[in-house]
């Protein structure tokens, strides 16, 4: 088991070392998130960290997704993928579950990327009232500076 874990960590480190940092920006949904992308086309990893202003409380969200990117036309792309999300509810605990993502982005000739996406999630592990909830209304828009 230890050998498998070490091999997996080395594989992830190797991929990250050869991947290129692609973009960093802001995603607006229920709150605001800092969004960063790293990868080698057509695959990439996206990490989003932000504050979610929910009806019941505020929480800190961390979402990691692996995505496949498809070109639709010059500068216009469609992407989709799977990953996970962790919500740290202030005063209520932690919620963890799988997340999916799908969206469109447009890359301008100058270093700007505009996007809109849909990111549903299912909360499978939770120590509060959110256990088993389906977060279906997570639509976001935003912009990123591209490298």
């Amino acid at each position: 088991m230890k050998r498998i874990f070490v091999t997996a960590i080395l594989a992830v480190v190797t991929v990250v070392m050869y991947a290129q940092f692609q973009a960093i920006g802001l995603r607006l949904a229920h709150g605001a998130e800092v969004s960063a992308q790293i990868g080698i086309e057509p695959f990439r990893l996206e990490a989003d960290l932000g504050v979610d202003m929910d009806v019941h409380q505020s929480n800190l969200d961390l979402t990691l997704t692996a995505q496949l990117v498809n070109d639709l036309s010059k500068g216009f792309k469609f992407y989709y993928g799977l990953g996970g999300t962790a919500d740290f509810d202030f005063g209520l605990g932690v919620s963890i579950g799988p997340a999916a993502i799908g969206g469109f982005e447009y890359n301008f000739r100058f270093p700007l990327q505009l996007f809109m996406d849909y990111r549903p999630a299912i909360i499978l592990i939770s120590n509060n009232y959110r256990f088993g909830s389906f977060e279906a209304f997570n639509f976001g828009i935003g912009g990123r500076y591209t490298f």
Side-chain angles (χ1 to χ4, degrees), residues 48-52 54 57-63 85-96 123 125-128 130 135:
D48 298 311
L49 177 65
V51 177
D52 186 10
D54 198 354
Q57 80 283 340
S58 297
N59 54 11
L60 185 66
D61 291 339
L62 173 64
T63 304
T85 185
D87 297 337
F88 305 95
D89 300 334
F90 300 129
L92 295 175
V94 178
S95 302
I96 299 172
I123 302 302
I125 300 171
S126 180
N127 60 353
N128 58 34
R130 295 179 67 191
E135 298 178 357

Side-chain angles (χ1 to χ4, degrees), residues 2-65:
K2 188 175 181 181
R3 183 179 292 161
I4 293 171
F5 181 73
V6 171
T7 303
I9 294 295
L10 289 174
V12 169
V13 168
T14 302
V15 169
V16 169
M17 285 176 48
Y18 286 103
Q20 298 174 357
F21 194 67
Q22 293 178 335
I24 189 165
L26 189 65
R27 179 181 186 268
L28 301 175
H30 297 284
E33 300 177 354
V34 174
S35 176
Q37 296 174 340
I38 186 171
I40 303 170
E41 294 283 340
F43 302 103
R44 72 176 175 211
L45 298 174
E46 182 176 322
D48 298 311
L49 177 65
V51 177
D52 186 10
M53 301 301 177
D54 198 354
V55 175
H56 303 288
Q57 80 283 340
S58 297
N59 54 11
L60 185 66
D61 291 339
L62 173 64
T63 304
L64 300 170
T65 55

